[in-house]
Amino acid sequence: QVQPVESGGGSVQAGGSLRLSCAASGYTYRRNLMAWFRQAPGKEREGVAAIYTGGGETYYADSVKGRFTISKDNAKNMVYLQMNNLKPEDTAMYYCAADKNGGQWYGVLYNYWGRGTQVTVSS
């Protein structure tokens, strides 16, 4: 299984929290940069957060800074996205991506994508 596998989505009320998990194979985890993206109906896929699995450097979209935290577990080849103070505008399908193929972390040029996990935030 080379593709990442996401889990942890669900429905919460505004102000609530969710923790998404991304299980990666050893191969994809070692490709160094892993990221979370999201896509709402009728909108383009956008980068949410990314992390270098080697050095641990992290990146965030401005819209989630201070609310979301990306982290990793090298022993388990896992990447997590802790989402706090969720807002209705965070509603989207969330995807885990691995193995950046050039460009900035928030670009969609990744070689491996999961199938996504749905996050729905009600007001």
Side-chain angles (χ1 to χ4, degrees):
Q1 178 83 27
V2 179
Q3 285 181 303
V5 179
E6 306 94 338
S7 62
S11 297
V12 296
Q13 290 189 328
S17 298
L18 283 173
R19 187 194 194 207
L20 304 184
S21 299
C22 174
S25 68
Y27 174 80
T28 52
Y29 193 84
R30 288 192 296 272
R31 303 310 287 174
N32 208 17
L33 184 63
M34 294 191 66
W36 286 97
F37 282 74
R38 66 186 180 187
Q39 188 167 19
K43 294 188 177 181
E44 293 187 353
R45 192 168 295 190
E46 63 171 348
V48 175
I51 187 167
Y52 276 100
T53 55
E57 188 174 6
T58 59
Y59 305 88
Y60 295 94
D62 288 342
S63 59
V64 306
K65 281 181 181 176
R67 300 188 298 122
F68 291 11
T69 302
I70 190 170
S71 62
K72 62 184 177 72
D73 185 331
N74 290 345
K76 297 180 180 180
N77 294 340
M78 296 288 292
V79 173
Y80 305 98
L81 186 68
Q82 178 66 43
M83 306 185 295
N84 297 328
N85 191 21
L86 283 161
K87 303 176 180 180
E89 52 263 43
D90 294 317
T91 296
M93 185 71 79
Y94 283 70
Y95 299 91
C96 181
D99 193 12
K100 191 76 177 75
N101 189 17
Q104 300 294 323
W105 71 266
Y106 47 82
V108 296
L109 295 179
Y110 285 77
N111 288 322
Y112 302 101
W113 291 86
R115 294 186 175 183
T117 186
Q118 178 68 37
V119 171
T120 302
V121 184
S122 58
S123 58

